[in-house]
Amino acid sequence: MLEQQNYYHGGGRRKCAVAHVRLYTQPGGIVINGKPLEQAFPWEAWQEVIKEPLKVAEALDKYSVQVKVTGGGVTGQAGAVRHGIARALVVLDESLRKPCARRAC
């Protein structure tokens, strides 16, 4: 019997690329379309773009991430994955959201 795992979802978009991100609470790596991050995005600049939200949240080694990304080019896909990871982190921990600059928020 498969064990039910809890995850936090975040959707990201950039240009024509769309990413669906699942953030799991156990430590692990980043898997994109069934491939490890280094294989899916071999250029280090793309990897840094994708990892940035985890670095800012000081959670690089705390979570495992699974992503399905479609459409657009490679740079747009990297941006969409980054956006999705950031949104999933905010769902996980609302205190990561920046305070709104406007008074009406």
Side-chain angles (χ1 to χ4, degrees), residues 85-101:
I85 291 173
R87 288 181 130 186
L89 284 168
V90 169
V91 170
L92 172 70
D93 184 4
E94 186 68 32
S95 68
L96 292 173
R97 185 183 300 272
K98 274 180 120 175
C100 186

Side-chain angles (χ1 to χ4, degrees), residues 2-105:
L2 291 174
E3 184 177 319
Q4 183 77 3
Q5 295 184 1
N6 293 335
Y7 64 87
Y8 298 89
H9 181 265
R13 295 173 69 177
R14 169 101 167 78
K15 295 184 175 185
C16 292
V18 179
H20 298 280
V21 176
R22 287 184 176 186
L23 186 71
Y24 293 91
T25 53
Q26 66 272 11
I30 300 173
V31 178
I32 300 172
N33 292 342
K35 300 177 185 175
L37 172 65
E38 294 77 18
Q39 190 177 356
F41 290 89
W43 194 34
E44 194 168 325
W46 293 326
Q47 295 173 19
E48 293 302 315
V49 166
I50 290 169
K51 291 179 185 176
E52 188 174 2
L54 294 168
K55 287 181 182 176
V56 169
E58 298 174 356
L60 194 56
D61 297 325
K62 290 183 182 178
Y63 305 114
S64 58
V65 181
Q66 287 190 349
V67 182
K68 296 288 184 190
V69 63
T70 59
V74 181
T75 302
Q77 287 185 351
V81 172
R82 169 184 168 174
H83 187 205
I85 291 173
R87 288 181 130 186
L89 284 168
V90 169
V91 170
L92 172 70
D93 184 4
E94 186 68 32
S95 68
L96 292 173
R97 185 183 300 272
K98 274 180 120 175
C100 186
R102 297 179 289 158
R103 294 182 190 198
C105 292

